[in-house]
């Protein structure tokens, strides 16, 4: 089957095709899912792009290893992959805690020429990332999945292996904590004209 025709197939169909020996299915599924996994890992890991790349590769390798045993209909491939990615990120964050504090790790610098708007967006993103890193792991994961990744509460519940009401509670507490952490920074972040 040509690579272009693969784009019409579901994640589950592509995984089954890969398990049946079709390498082009792995390429199509990787092209579809890797950017989302990488973005999620980058956010979970406080902007550490190198570690996010490692997590993305590790998560996709796990997917390829389980492909022959995948039971269609039990879970969505993307939900399973988000859960694996989150678990890999949490494992890495726990290992980091024995080293430097997450707040001590500098944000990667943007090598593009800076303009006032770019600087303001960077300051806003940095303030949000700093605030997110101060949330407990589960709250951070729920807030990122809901408000940054845009997933629904049932999807998040599946990823985090909790009920939808627990997701609502985690995201509500996380949002309140973020608001408290970011309160007083509106003017510094350029929001005085956005009201």
């Amino acid at each position: 089957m040509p690579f272009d025709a693969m784009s019409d197939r579901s994640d589950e169909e592509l995984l089954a095709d890969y398990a049946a020996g079709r390498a082009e299915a792995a390429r199509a599924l990787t092209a579809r899912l890797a950017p989302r996994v990488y973005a999620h890992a980058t956010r979970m890991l406080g902007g550490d792009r190198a570690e996010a790349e490692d997590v993305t590769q590790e998560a996709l390798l796990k997917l390829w290893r389980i492909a022959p045993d995948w039971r269609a209909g039990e879970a969505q491939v993307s939900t399973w992959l988000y859960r694996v990615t989150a678990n890999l990120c949490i494992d890495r964050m726990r290992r980091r805690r024995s080293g430097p504090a997450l707040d001590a790790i500098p944000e990667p610098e943007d090598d593009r020429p800076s303009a006032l708007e770019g600087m303001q967006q960077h300051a806003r993103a940095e303030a949000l990332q700093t605030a997110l890193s101060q949330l407990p792991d589960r709250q951070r994961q729920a807030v990122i999945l809901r408000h940054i990744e845009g997933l629904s509460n049932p999807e998040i519940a599946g990823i985090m292996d909790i009920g939808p009401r627990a997701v609502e509670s985690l995201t509500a507490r996380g949002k309140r904590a973020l608001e408290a952490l970011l309160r007083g920074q509106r003017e510094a972040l350029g929001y005085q004209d956005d009201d």
Side-chain angles (χ1 to χ4, degrees):
M1 182 176 294
F3 184 78
D4 291 343
M6 293 283 177
S7 64
D8 294 336
R9 300 187 56 81
S10 72
D11 295 346
E12 289 75 17
E13 290 171 326
L14 288 173
L15 192 60
D17 288 347
Y18 168 74
R22 294 183 193 95
E24 65 274 9
R27 286 193 297 277
L29 198 54
T30 299
R32 181 183 297 167
L33 297 176
R36 290 191 285 179
V37 170
Y38 173 75
H40 182 59
T42 301
R43 290 182 187 105
M44 287 286 296
L45 294 168
D48 188 327
R49 294 177 180 155
E51 277 210 78
E53 287 177 14
D54 291 345
V55 165
T56 301
Q57 289 177 0
E58 195 173 341
L60 288 171
L61 281 173
K62 286 179 181 276
L63 180 63
W64 305 140
R65 284 187 196 120
I66 62 101
D69 301 319
W70 184 263
R71 290 180 279 192
E74 285 189 20
Q76 291 183 356
V77 172
S78 59
T79 300
W80 182 90
L81 203 51
Y82 271 118
R83 180 182 289 174
V84 168
T85 301
N87 289 339
L88 290 169
C89 290
I90 288 169
D91 289 346
R92 285 175 182 258
M93 289 185 292
R94 286 182 181 143
R95 284 193 300 262
R96 280 185 189 173
R97 289 188 181 131
S98 62
L102 288 176
D103 294 339
I105 299 171
E107 289 284 329
E109 296 207 358
D110 187 0
D111 54 343
R112 291 179 294 178
S114 61
L116 180 58
E117 187 175 297
M119 290 171 34
Q120 192 171 60
Q121 288 176 350
H122 180 73
R124 289 174 179 176
E126 193 171 88
L128 177 60
Q129 188 61 54
T130 299
L132 280 169
S133 69
Q134 294 177 50
L135 295 179
D137 291 344
R138 302 286 281 173
Q139 281 183 18
R140 177 176 46 247
Q141 183 181 7
V143 168
I144 289 170
L145 289 170
R146 181 70 183 112
H147 297 290
I148 296 176
E149 299 292 337
L151 298 180
S152 69
N153 286 351
E155 289 173 313
I156 297 167
I159 292 167
M160 296 181 70
D161 199 24
I162 58 177
R165 287 188 186 262
V167 171
E168 290 174 18
S169 176
L170 283 171
T171 54
R173 289 194 323 256
K175 273 182 66 175
R176 282 193 303 271
L178 282 176
E179 288 171 0
L181 289 165
L182 295 171
R183 191 175 296 124
Q185 296 184 47
R186 289 181 60 77
E187 189 172 331
L189 295 174
Y191 284 110
Q192 69 274 10
D193 297 329
D194 292 355
D195 292 338

